[in-house]
Short mmCIF file of all heavy atoms in Angstrom, two decimals:
data_model
loop_
_atom_site.label_atom_id
_atom_site.label_comp_id
_atom_site.label_asym_id
_atom_site.label_seq_id
_atom_site.Cartn_x
_atom_site.Cartn_y
_atom_site.Cartn_z
N ALA S 291 19.58 -1.09 32.52
CA ALA S 291 20.25 -2.41 32.67
C ALA S 291 19.34 -3.53 33.01
O ALA S 291 19.46 -4.68 32.67
CB ALA S 291 21.43 -2.30 33.67
N GLY S 292 18.30 -3.25 33.84
CA GLY S 292 17.28 -4.21 34.22
C GLY S 292 16.34 -4.58 33.12
O GLY S 292 15.56 -5.60 33.32
N ARG S 293 16.32 -3.84 32.01
CA ARG S 293 15.40 -4.12 30.93
C ARG S 293 16.06 -4.81 29.86
O ARG S 293 15.39 -5.20 28.84
CB ARG S 293 14.73 -2.85 30.51
CG ARG S 293 13.80 -2.26 31.58
CD ARG S 293 13.14 -0.98 31.14
NE ARG S 293 12.29 -1.09 29.99
CZ ARG S 293 11.46 -0.19 29.46
NH1 ARG S 293 11.62 1.04 29.97
NH2 ARG S 293 10.69 -0.43 28.39
N ILE S 294 17.37 -4.93 29.80
CA ILE S 294 18.06 -5.67 28.77
C ILE S 294 18.28 -7.09 29.33
O ILE S 294 19.26 -7.31 30.05
CB ILE S 294 19.37 -5.00 28.33
CG1 ILE S 294 19.06 -3.52 27.80
CG2 ILE S 294 20.10 -5.75 27.31
CD1 ILE S 294 20.29 -2.77 27.44
N VAL S 295 17.48 -8.02 28.96
CA VAL S 295 17.39 -9.34 29.71
C VAL S 295 17.95 -10.51 28.90
O VAL S 295 18.11 -11.58 29.39
CB VAL S 295 15.88 -9.60 30.03
CG1 VAL S 295 15.40 -8.58 30.95
CG2 VAL S 295 15.01 -9.73 28.71
N GLY S 296 18.33 -10.24 27.56
CA GLY S 296 18.84 -11.38 26.83
C GLY S 296 17.72 -12.35 26.39
O GLY S 296 16.55 -12.03 26.50
N GLY S 297 18.12 -13.45 25.86
CA GLY S 297 17.12 -14.43 25.39
C GLY S 297 16.61 -14.22 23.94
O GLY S 297 17.18 -13.45 23.19
N ASP S 298 15.59 -14.92 23.57
CA ASP S 298 15.10 -14.94 22.20
C ASP S 298 13.93 -13.90 21.98
O ASP S 298 13.47 -13.70 20.92
CB ASP S 298 14.65 -16.31 21.79
CG ASP S 298 15.87 -17.26 21.73
OD1 ASP S 298 16.98 -16.81 21.41
OD2 ASP S 298 15.60 -18.48 21.97
N GLY S 299 13.40 -13.42 23.06
CA GLY S 299 12.24 -12.58 22.90
C GLY S 299 10.94 -13.33 23.07
O GLY S 299 10.87 -14.52 22.77
N SER S 300 9.83 -12.68 23.43
CA SER S 300 8.57 -13.37 23.64
C SER S 300 7.68 -13.35 22.38
O SER S 300 6.80 -14.02 22.23
CB SER S 300 7.80 -12.63 24.79
OG SER S 300 7.66 -11.34 24.55
N SER S 301 8.11 -12.53 21.34
CA SER S 301 7.42 -12.50 20.12
C SER S 301 8.35 -11.91 19.04
O SER S 301 9.07 -10.94 19.21
CB SER S 301 6.15 -11.47 20.15
OG SER S 301 5.47 -11.41 19.02
N ARG S 302 8.39 -12.75 17.92
CA ARG S 302 9.45 -12.44 16.92
C ARG S 302 8.83 -11.86 15.61
O ARG S 302 9.69 -11.50 14.71
CB ARG S 302 10.28 -13.64 16.63
CG ARG S 302 10.92 -14.13 18.01
CD ARG S 302 11.72 -15.42 17.74
NE ARG S 302 12.88 -15.14 17.05
CZ ARG S 302 13.77 -16.16 16.68
NH1 ARG S 302 13.56 -17.36 17.18
NH2 ARG S 302 14.85 -15.90 16.00
N TRP S 303 7.52 -11.91 15.36
CA TRP S 303 6.99 -11.44 14.10
C TRP S 303 5.49 -11.03 14.34
O TRP S 303 4.83 -11.41 15.35
CB TRP S 303 7.12 -12.48 13.06
CG TRP S 303 6.44 -13.81 13.38
CD1 TRP S 303 7.14 -14.85 14.02
CD2 TRP S 303 5.10 -14.19 13.12
NE1 TRP S 303 6.31 -15.94 14.21
CE2 TRP S 303 5.09 -15.54 13.71
CE3 TRP S 303 4.07 -13.60 12.60
CZ2 TRP S 303 3.90 -16.28 13.61
CZ3 TRP S 303 2.81 -14.37 12.60
CH2 TRP S 303 2.75 -15.67 13.09
N GLY S 304 5.03 -10.20 13.39
CA GLY S 304 3.65 -9.78 13.36
C GLY S 304 3.22 -9.62 11.94
O GLY S 304 3.94 -9.12 11.16
N VAL S 305 1.95 -10.04 11.61
CA VAL S 305 1.46 -10.02 10.27
C VAL S 305 0.07 -9.43 10.22
O VAL S 305 -0.77 -9.77 11.16
CB VAL S 305 1.35 -11.44 9.61
CG1 VAL S 305 0.80 -11.34 8.24
CG2 VAL S 305 2.80 -12.00 9.50
#
Side-chain angles (χ1 to χ4, degrees):
R293 294 179 62 177
I294 301 177
V295 297
D298 296 329
S300 56
S301 179
R302 304 178 67 177
W303 54 270
V305 176

